[in-house]
Amino acid sequence: MFIQKIKPFLYLGIFYLTISFLVRMIFLFHPITTADFNFLEVIKILMIGIVNDIFVFILTCPFLAVYFVFLSNSKYQKPYGYIILGLLCAFFLYILLIPDNIFKQYGGSAAEIALAFIGLKIIIFSLMLFLPKKRLQIRNTMYFITVFLYVLLIIFNAVSEYFFYNEFGLRYNFIAVDYLIYTNEVIGNIMESYPVVPLFLAIFAVATAFTFYIYKKTKTELLFLPNLKQKAILLTSFCILVAVSLLGLSFTTKLKSDNVFEDEIQANGLPKFYWAFTHNELDYFQFYPQINQQIAERNFLSQYTPPVLKRTIQSEKPELNKNVVLISIESLSADFMAHYGNTQKITPFLDSLADKSLMFTNLYATGNRTVRGLEALTLCIPPTAGESIIKRENNKNKFTTGSVFKSKGYDVKFLYGGYSYFDNMKDFYEGNGYDIVDRNNFKPEEISFANVWGVADEDMAKKAIQAMNAEAKSGKPFFNHWMTVSNHRPFTYPNGKIDIPGDAKSREGGVKYTDYSLRKFFEMAKKQDWYPNTVFVIIADHCASSAGDTELPMDKYKIPAMIFSEGFIQPQKFTQTMSQIDVMPTLLGLLNFNYQTKFLGQDVFSKEFQPKAYVATYQDLGFIKDNYLTVISPLKKVKQYALTQQKNSLSPEFNLYYDEKYVKGDLQNKKLIEQAISAYQSTSYWLKKNQLNR
């Protein structure tokens, strides 16, 4: 009898496990999964995956269990039915009429959601109360809808996980949390990137078909509702199973290997999403390996002269108050450029510009998101655990590149073709003294094309020229930081501009259109009076993909960067390892600026420069130096990889790929581990103590 009562759970559970198994198999054979697994490794992945899926399904079942617990005919008998209906109506009026009800105090849409839920409950309860002959039919309809919602969510989650993995090579992480926050951009991006209507119709069709099957197999359970004893057994059983599942997941989610793909495929996306949602910031001092703070600071500051946080940079040459235009390009991996071996000819302008510029051939982005790139170029500090500083509450009055230029009398602006509230950019840049030019500043006639991320880069180029012309007329030098948007999914742009159609939605098209837009920008800039006195810094914010065999695959962090100024910057290639955080201190050095600094990046042409780079994900913090990659992670874990460059047939100075060989504990370079810990621990400490503020 008990088995009969839990048939809905069994059918839904089998359906969920089957869908999850299929998704896991797809991930195993997905082109983005570059790791090779032997038979035993595949079995291990599938077994751990099934266990994770069982635990997760059990944790979702209490909602269905509560639904069955409240199934009853006795509550519709007089006088109970009328009392319950009266209480529901009173509760509805309380939410509707009382200004300071508990839901409105909670904020957001809580009151509207509660009002809709109680209103729907009143309608259904009234039908069941006043139409007793239709009660079974109504109950069956509600049961069908309940099962349909479960099935729909299972399928929708599977499809969502597939698209997320297809984009990032990962299960859900903090990016998925952001997707819930910035729904307008994200939903718009999905609508423009994928055939949403056919996809949703297919999802609903499949969900409906499976719901009918499960409904037919289990609807007889509604003919004989569980009695009080059966309900008690049902609830007790689920309480025990939930406790076991929580305990089990606390163990299985900590099972890690040396292969990121293995960890991701055997995982379940929902616990990862929950973890990301509840860990938006990571306390370095709680999760990461530490050494004595004074020793950490001494180790880290030893690279500077003098070895202190606040230092004075003094040039022997006169200052050059040239205009500066910093262009950070969305998702421009190094391997898109011909200089790094690409043969598709999708960056013809940037490749030609690189030959006339100071080009940094061995430079690494600090992260895999735009806010990380903006953080590195604006604050010039190593990435810290958790979310970017740009998106944290304590993100204002920092020591920034903008504050250095402002101290020299420059106009300082941040330019962005989209709405700068996205990713908290507006709050961050305005809070640090930048003026903002974004989509809000465009007149309708100034927009020839736009998608959900913003106006086309070509339109933004024209707006940037307008802004710079206005600044030049004021007689003051200007520093403008322009963040491009077109090289981002859905990769749409105006037709007829390049030889790849704007509606092809191809990554290569997005790259090539951005390259085309930059050519147009420079063609317009050359006609302006301020052009000869301007330095241009062109750099990617991050790579197009971050998926790889290890936590921090080196080739997924290498980005192109160049400094160009006709008659001022002599063409050359800087081949030593450097970080995104070194670019702006290097530029200030080229301008012979005298200033007090708290930047943790270095001028690569200074005598004290030490070749190194910082790379990070949301959790893993990497330090590249002396052909080693040292990675520190939560739970105070440390890994190290020996790096061996692979030969590049095009040119040895443009090496892109490395072999990363895991170094066992007893063979690790302890000095580099201490340097990695010192860098990240010191940065986290200074941020916590507001010592990196102006």
Side-chain angles (χ1 to χ4, degrees):
M1 178 64 72
F2 183 69
I3 295 296
Q4 289 295 109
K5 295 301 178 186
I6 63 171
K7 276 176 66 177
F9 300 94
L10 293 176
Y11 275 91
L12 283 171
I14 292 170
F15 176 71
Y16 177 69
L17 294 178
T18 302
I19 294 295
S20 297
F21 175 80
L22 291 174
V23 170
R24 198 165 276 113
M25 293 301 295
I26 291 171
F27 289 171
L28 276 170
F29 295 101
H30 195 287
I32 206 171
T33 307
T34 55
D36 294 320
F37 303 111
N38 59 40
F39 178 75
L40 290 178
E41 288 173 332
V42 171
I43 295 299
K44 172 179 171 287
I45 290 170
L46 295 179
M47 292 302 294
I48 295 176
I50 290 172
V51 172
N52 280 325
D53 295 339
I54 291 172
F55 288 152
V56 169
F57 178 74
I58 290 172
L59 290 176
T60 66
C61 281
F63 299 103
L64 192 59
V66 169
Y67 171 80
F68 276 100
V69 165
F70 280 94
L71 288 178
S72 169
N73 284 321
S74 59
K75 64 184 178 184
Y76 300 108
Q77 296 176 0
K78 295 180 181 180
Y80 306 115
Y82 297 98
I83 294 173
I84 294 172
L85 181 60
L87 290 174
L88 287 172
C89 291
F91 194 34
F92 182 87
L93 292 173
Y94 163 74
I95 300 171
L96 181 66
L97 302 177
I98 304 301
D100 295 324
N101 67 70
I102 57 173
F103 296 102
K104 288 184 179 177
Q105 289 176 12
Y106 183 80
S109 301
E112 289 78 7
I113 293 171
L115 203 63
F117 178 80
I118 299 300
L120 185 62
K121 185 68 179 175
I122 290 171
I123 293 171
I124 296 170
F125 192 89
S126 298
L127 291 173
M128 299 282 279
L129 178 64
F130 297 116
L131 301 172
K133 292 183 179 180
K134 299 288 185 179
R135 195 170 293 164
L136 181 59
Q137 184 178 346
I138 297 169
R139 186 176 288 137
N140 282 341
T141 302
M142 296 307 302
Y143 174 63
F144 181 89
I145 293 172
T146 302
V147 173
F148 175 77
L149 290 175
Y150 258 88
V151 172
L152 181 66
L153 288 173
I154 290 170
I155 297 173
F156 186 80
N157 176 67
V159 173
S160 298
E161 282 210 80
Y162 168 77
F163 283 118
F164 196 85
Y165 190 87
N166 188 61
E167 182 79 10
F168 300 102
L170 300 167
R171 297 273 190 171
Y172 296 141
N173 60 10
F174 75 100
I175 298 175
V177 176
D178 276 1
Y179 279 9
L180 284 185
I181 297 172
Y182 300 105
T183 52
N184 181 55
E185 281 79 359
V186 173
I187 292 174
N189 183 27
I190 293 170
M191 295 290 290
E192 294 178 8
S193 300
Y194 303 106
V196 173
V197 173
L199 182 64
F200 274 43
L201 287 176
I203 290 173
F204 273 87
V206 173
T208 303
F210 277 102
T211 301
F212 267 114
Y213 176 78
I214 296 172
Y215 172 75
K216 286 184 178 180
K217 293 291 184 179
T218 60
K219 68 176 182 178
T220 54
E221 306 313 312
L222 300 182
L223 294 174
F224 306 99
L225 300 180
N227 56 37
L228 190 60
K229 180 180 178 181
Q230 290 171 332
K231 290 179 179 180
I233 294 173
L234 184 67
L235 272 182
T236 303
S237 301
F238 274 107
C239 287
I240 295 171
L241 287 172
V242 166
V244 171
S245 298
L246 289 171
L247 185 64
L249 280 175
S250 69
F251 172 74
T252 58
T253 52
K254 293 177 183 177
L255 294 175
K256 301 293 182 182
S257 68
D258 294 331
N259 189 300
V260 172
F261 287 115
E262 181 177 336
D263 295 339
E264 293 296 325
I265 295 171
Q266 72 187 20
N268 184 290
L270 295 179
K272 288 177 67 67
F273 181 90
Y274 175 78
W275 192 95
F277 188 81
T278 55
H279 293 77
N280 205 29
E281 291 186 24
L282 291 174
D283 184 350
Y284 181 93
F285 300 93
Q286 180 180 354
F287 293 102
Y288 290 84
Q290 299 173 55
I291 59 176
N292 177 273
Q293 182 62 33
Q294 290 183 334
I295 294 175
E297 292 186 30
R298 186 167 64 245
N299 288 343
F300 186 57
L301 293 172
S302 65
Q303 64 188 301
Y304 308 114
T305 304
V308 293
L309 176 58
K310 188 174 183 179
R311 310 173 303 281
T312 298
I313 304 296
Q314 193 72 35
S315 175
E316 297 176 355
K317 300 177 181 179
E319 286 191 359
L320 301 171
N321 293 118
K322 291 180 174 290
N323 306 309
V324 175
V325 178
L326 168 60
I327 306 173
S328 43
I329 304 175
E330 174 69 48
S331 305
L332 187 72
S333 303
D335 58 8
F336 288 144
M337 293 185 65
H339 279 82
Y340 291 91
N342 190 291
T343 59
Q344 298 170 295
K345 298 181 180 179
I346 53 178
T347 58
F349 174 71
L350 286 175
D351 279 307
S352 66
L353 192 67
D355 292 329
K356 307 170 190 174
S357 305
L358 162 59
M359 186 176 187
F360 305 106
T361 67
N362 201 21
L363 186 149
Y364 293 88
T366 57
N368 48 29
R369 295 210 65 208
T370 295
V371 283
R372 278 298 188 201
L374 296 177
E375 173 190 274
L377 295 168
T378 305
L379 301 178
C380 305
I381 64 174
T384 49
E387 189 56 271
S388 164
I389 294 165
I390 289 176
K391 301 182 69 174
R392 298 183 190 178
E393 290 184 10
N394 184 22
N395 67 358
K396 298 174 178 63
N397 300 312
K398 301 297 182 189
F399 185 82
T400 66
T401 50
S403 65
V404 174
F405 283 108
K406 273 211 161 186
S407 71
K408 302 293 181 181
Y410 279 64
D411 277 334
V412 175
K413 282 187 173 65
F414 177 69
L415 299 89
Y416 180 67
Y419 295 110
S420 59
Y421 73 83
F422 180 74
D423 265 349
N424 211 43
M425 290 183 285
K426 181 180 176 67
D427 178 69
F428 171 74
Y429 279 106
E430 283 189 339
N432 285 286
Y434 287 67
D435 294 326
I436 303 287
V437 176
D438 67 1
R439 188 167 178 173
N440 288 309
N441 298 98
F442 280 78
K443 300 175 183 177
E445 61 269 20
E446 293 178 318
I447 302 175
S448 66
F449 182 91
N451 62 22
V452 68
W453 294 111
V455 303
D457 285 344
E458 191 179 0
D459 292 337
M460 188 67 241
K462 294 174 184 176
K463 176 62 75 172
I465 294 294
Q466 289 179 17
M468 293 168 197
N469 285 342
E471 289 171 313
K473 288 179 181 178
S474 72
K476 297 169 64 177
F478 57 79
F479 167 60
N480 285 180
H481 184 170
W482 169 21
M483 179 70 224
T484 73
V485 300
S486 291
N487 183 31
H488 193 298
R489 191 178 298 279
F491 309 117
T492 54
Y493 45 86
N495 279 313
K497 302 294 183 176
I498 58 174
D499 56 3
I500 302 174
D503 51 6
K505 299 183 179 180
S506 74
R507 167 77 69 178
E508 291 75 20
V511 173
K512 194 165 188 176
Y513 175 72
T514 294
D515 183 84
Y516 165 87
S517 299
L518 291 174
R519 180 191 297 276
K520 291 298 181 184
F521 170 75
F522 274 88
E523 287 175 355
M524 290 185 286
K526 283 184 179 181
K527 299 175 182 178
Q528 313 307 319
D529 293 338
W530 47 261
Y531 175 78
N533 192 45
T534 302
V535 181
F536 300 89
V537 183
I538 301 97
I539 183 171
D541 61 345
H542 59 85
C543 284
S545 171
S546 59
D549 295 342
T550 59
E551 298 94 332
L552 300 167
M554 296 280 287
D555 59 305
K556 304 301 185 182
Y557 286 83
K558 181 166 277 191
I559 57 173
M562 63 195 81
I563 299 177
F564 169 78
S565 181
E566 287 188 43
F568 173 52
I569 299 296
Q570 296 303 309
Q572 61 174 303
K573 294 179 176 63
F574 185 86
T575 61
Q576 295 185 68
T577 301
M578 61 180 290
S579 172
Q580 206 171 18
I581 72 173
D582 298 323
V583 173
M584 295 310 289
T586 300
L587 172 73
L588 297 176
L590 292 171
L591 295 174
N592 304 326
F593 271 20
N594 301 314
Y595 63 104
Q596 284 193 322
T597 183
K598 291 184 180 180
F599 290 149
L600 303 181
Q602 289 185 291
D603 177 353
V604 300
F605 295 113
S606 66
K607 295 178 181 178
E608 59 193 23
F609 174 68
Q610 296 180 13
K612 62 189 176 304
Y614 305 95
V615 294
T617 63
Y618 189 67
Q619 302 179 51
D620 300 310
L621 306 174
F623 180 67
I624 303 167
K625 189 177 181 182
D626 297 339
N627 292 319
Y628 282 94
L629 168 62
T630 303
V631 182
I632 58 177
S633 306
L635 304 179
K636 305 185 186 302
K637 293 181 179 179
V638 178
K639 289 184 180 180
Q640 197 169 70
Y641 300 88
L643 306 174
T644 305
Q645 282 192 341
Q646 296 181 5
K647 295 296 181 182
N648 188 327
S649 59
L650 184 65
S651 173
E653 62 201 5
F654 287 100
N655 278 308
L656 179 61
Y657 298 104
Y658 286 84
D659 287 322
E660 300 180 31
K661 184 177 181 181
Y662 179 70
V663 181
K664 294 183 179 179
D666 54 337
L667 299 176
Q668 290 179 343
N669 187 318
K670 305 299 182 184
K671 181 180 178 181
L672 290 178
I673 291 175
E674 186 169 290
Q675 288 183 19
I677 294 172
S678 296
Y680 287 113
Q681 180 177 325
S682 298
T683 305
S684 300
Y685 179 82
W686 292 328
L687 280 169
K688 191 174 184 178
K689 299 297 183 180
N690 292 321
Q691 292 182 24
L692 294 176
N693 286 13
R694 290 200 295 270

